[in-house]
Amino acid sequence: SSSSSSSSSKEFTPSEASLRQALSAEGGWDGGSGGGTLASSSSYPLLFWTDKGGEEAEAKKANAAVVESSERQGDDQDDDQDDGLCEDGDLEGSVGEESLRERAKYIPLRLSFEDRKSLRLAEAALKVCNYTDSVDSSKDLPPGGPNPTDPKTQARRRQKQVKHIVALLTGLVVACDFGAGQEVVVGGDLGSYKQFFRALFEIVRRYKIMNPEKMRSTYGKLLYLMQDAASEDVSDLLGFSLVSTSSSSSIKTVHGLLKKAGAEAMLDDAPLIHYATQEILPVKGEPRHETQKRLKRKEKALRVLVHKWTAESDNGGLSKEDIELCCCSVCDNNSYVNSVCAPCDSMIELLEKYFSPRKAKIGFSLSIVAGSAEGARLSHSHAKQFHFARQSLCLWRAVLRDMFRLWSLSEQDLLSPDSPYTLKDTGQGLQRVQPCPKTYRAMQQLLRKVQAQTQTYELSTEAAAAASTAGDGSDDDDDDDETGDGSGDEDNEDDEAGNEDSDYGGGGGSSRQVGWVGSSMIHMGDHNVPNALSFIDKYNQVARILGPIVQILATLEQLVEDDDGIASLVHHGYGGLDELRLLVLHDFFTSAFDGSGAHNDFDAGSCIDGRLTSAWNWCNSLSTKPFFAMFKLAGFAGFDGEFEDT
């Protein structure tokens, strides 16, 4: 392998400086979305584990052949300035405003072949384990409910916890090594395998963070098991803790790998690192050869990084595989962030396209009144509701953009032995109510950042023109109920004179000052959001809610073009395609942001958590909407996705 490495270095003729100059010849980035998955030439494809025999060897040989072929093709075009590798553009969808070095601290490393074998073992064990069903059951609790101070209740739960934890850990050892499993069953010494258990569960947690749509039931089971095993009582009985206080038990990240090799500066090596980790997506209407040019530029940037940083870390630092693994992992993170933020971006664009805060279209005012038949708990004027929906979408986008950091902090809160939980009936069954100090502080910081960013609303030229030509609207007075207590209903009469500018703080022009609409209350560690796991799961639903709506609105146009019957239905039943889209969006931006979804104003309303609760409530009532038939014709199946692990 050393000879092939040296051969590859000799074949690479351009110096780092010349290639940097070539890559940024026109001073910009590529026109595709930033971040993302690696091209087909990746030497780290996501392959399922079979065994360590011939199939794995053949796969590695095939991958090596593909990489070698792509390198030869890239070297043949190093001196060709017309091959598209130097083409300028903007790196759209830049993932986060913070530096890549900071983001990399929370980006998990992609799993290796050996990791995937361990992952399947742990997944199979967790699937058949009924830990939470048994431990968090109300059968053995006293009639008055769970009593944390009751010695009998504590002893009964502790016995179940230890029994199930020991059974699971013993089964994992037996499945890996039958002889070692026999010794554990006879001697009961699980402590000597604690590093194995920690490494195994770290793989499961790392995989879940990288794939939030997977393990939707087994992941929570694992965290609750580790949470109990980390408690002082259970760890004393086990003789060890599954959660170590050292950094070795944390998730393996890109930054951690580079820091260990003393090569964190690679994350600041712009523009190479940005090109090498860029997501290459086909652009509508773009010729295939243009997409291929962008792929080749990405592959060339990756080769330059490998050439430079393996040469600079010859003293036992980074290997070629390490650099490619880091770039692949950053690509995966960029791809995830872009995919979950795209629905938020699309909904914000649709809101600004079809509605204007300055003037409401006839019959499509966004104003809502608390106590109305639709179940609204807020009273907002048209302009206030416009900004309330827009600010909520911006907040959701910020949370999803920073999800990996929030996820890391959530696991730290959940597995902290200094933050015990209380088993309570929150109205949705028994829940583990636990303080989340780290996650709460991070969420507060994000909220303040979004509030500062949305203080000024830039009205685009198109929106301003649409607002000036829109029909007479019915905006409400500026005095609304921002806390969702139902007060101020008398201020929601139609204002024919038009007081839209009062919601901007007065003044003309396209830039207006807008305050934060609604409450800034963050529910976390109470009966609304019991713990950090509930918080993570709740915000993972945002893309599942918005994605189908955006997709169906885009599909309707093609349906109308392809089917005359559907075109007639849309025309006669809804007044046309634009009217149908406007009907769907108007209903969503009013009913999904009206504070509904709970039985009181504290659990719903305009608080940070209540905004998402209202959106859930809208999804639940979709079947009663007049446009539901069009959703079904467009292929709508549901918002929740699949629970089956695949």
Side-chain angles (χ1 to χ4, degrees), residues 62-85:
N63 290 332
V66 171
V67 174
E68 183 180 356
S69 174
S70 91
E71 289 183 354
R72 285 200 304 267
Q73 293 175 3
D75 292 337
D76 292 340
Q77 300 185 12
D78 281 342
D79 298 325
D80 186 2
Q81 296 300 320
D82 297 326
D83 62 357
L85 299 181

Side-chain angles (χ1 to χ4, degrees), residues 208-406:
K208 171 62 179 178
I209 295 174
M210 299 175 68
N211 302 272
E213 73 281 0
K214 304 293 185 182
M215 302 177 60
R216 296 182 63 183
S217 59
T218 52
Y219 174 72
K221 201 183 303 183
L222 171 63
L223 279 190
Y224 282 167
L225 183 145
M226 294 182 66
Q227 186 181 46
D228 290 337
S231 64
E232 184 178 355
D233 294 336
V234 176
S235 60
D236 288 343
L237 292 173
L238 291 175
F240 66 96
S241 174
L242 289 178
V243 181
S244 174
T245 56
S246 65
S247 59
S248 60
S249 66
S250 61
I251 298 296
K252 294 181 180 178
T253 63
V254 172
H255 184 271
L257 175 60
L258 295 177
K259 183 179 180 180
K260 186 177 181 181
E264 306 102 306
M266 190 186 83
L267 297 170
D268 301 326
D269 194 1
L272 293 178
I273 188 65
H274 297 290
Y275 276 113
T277 59
Q278 183 181 6
E279 182 180 25
I280 305 299
L281 294 174
V283 180
K284 186 176 181 179
E286 180 187 54
R288 182 173 180 82
H289 69 272
E290 295 293 337
T291 306
Q292 291 297 327
K293 286 180 181 179
R294 294 191 284 124
L295 280 171
K296 291 174 182 177
R297 178 166 59 185
K298 175 180 178 178
E299 292 167 357
K300 176 180 283 189
L302 179 59
R303 292 198 304 274
V304 174
L305 280 177
V306 170
H307 176 72
K308 173 186 177 182
W309 289 96
T310 52
E312 292 188 1
S313 56
D314 287 338
N315 52 350
L318 288 176
S319 64
K320 174 183 177 182
E321 289 74 19
D322 289 336
I323 297 174
E324 291 178 341
L325 177 60
C326 289
C327 289
C328 287
S329 302
V330 176
C331 285
D332 293 341
N333 172 252
N334 290 339
S335 180
Y336 162 76
V337 173
N338 289 332
S339 64
V340 295
C341 290
C344 294
D345 294 331
S346 299
M347 290 304 292
I348 293 174
E349 291 176 3
L350 291 170
L351 174 64
E352 296 175 344
K353 177 181 178 181
Y354 286 93
F355 303 94
S356 169
R358 303 183 64 179
K359 200 72 171 179
K361 295 181 180 180
I362 296 177
F364 293 100
S365 172
L366 297 178
S367 61
I368 57 175
V369 180
S372 61
E374 291 78 11
R377 291 185 176 273
L378 304 175
S379 296
H380 284 170
S381 68
H382 170 79
K384 284 284 186 179
Q385 182 66 8
F386 176 92
H387 292 298
F388 181 68
R390 184 178 179 276
Q391 290 171 357
S392 300
L393 291 169
C394 290
L395 176 63
W396 295 350
R397 180 177 60 186
V399 172
L400 293 174
R401 197 181 294 276
D402 207 20
M403 177 57 74
F404 279 25
R405 182 174 73 95
L406 293 172

Side-chain angles (χ1 to χ4, degrees), residues 2 93 107 133 173 243 343 346 434 489:
S2 60
I107 298 178
D133 294 337
V173 176
V243 181
S346 299
Q434 180 189 33
D489 290 358

Side-chain angles (χ1 to χ4, degrees), residues 443-495:
M443 191 63 186
Q444 281 185 318
Q445 294 171 359
L446 271 179
L447 177 59
R448 288 194 293 267
K449 184 178 180 180
V450 173
Q451 287 174 335
Q453 292 174 345
T454 56
Q455 281 183 354
T456 303
Y457 175 67
E458 295 289 342
L459 191 65
S460 64
T461 304
E462 295 79 1
S468 63
T469 59
D472 291 336
S474 56
D475 283 353
D476 310 318
D477 192 84
D478 183 50
D479 297 330
D480 63 340
D481 173 24
E482 295 188 5
T483 59
D485 59 8
S487 62
D489 290 358
E490 65 275 13
D491 296 324
N492 285 277
E493 300 295 333
D494 289 348
D495 184 2

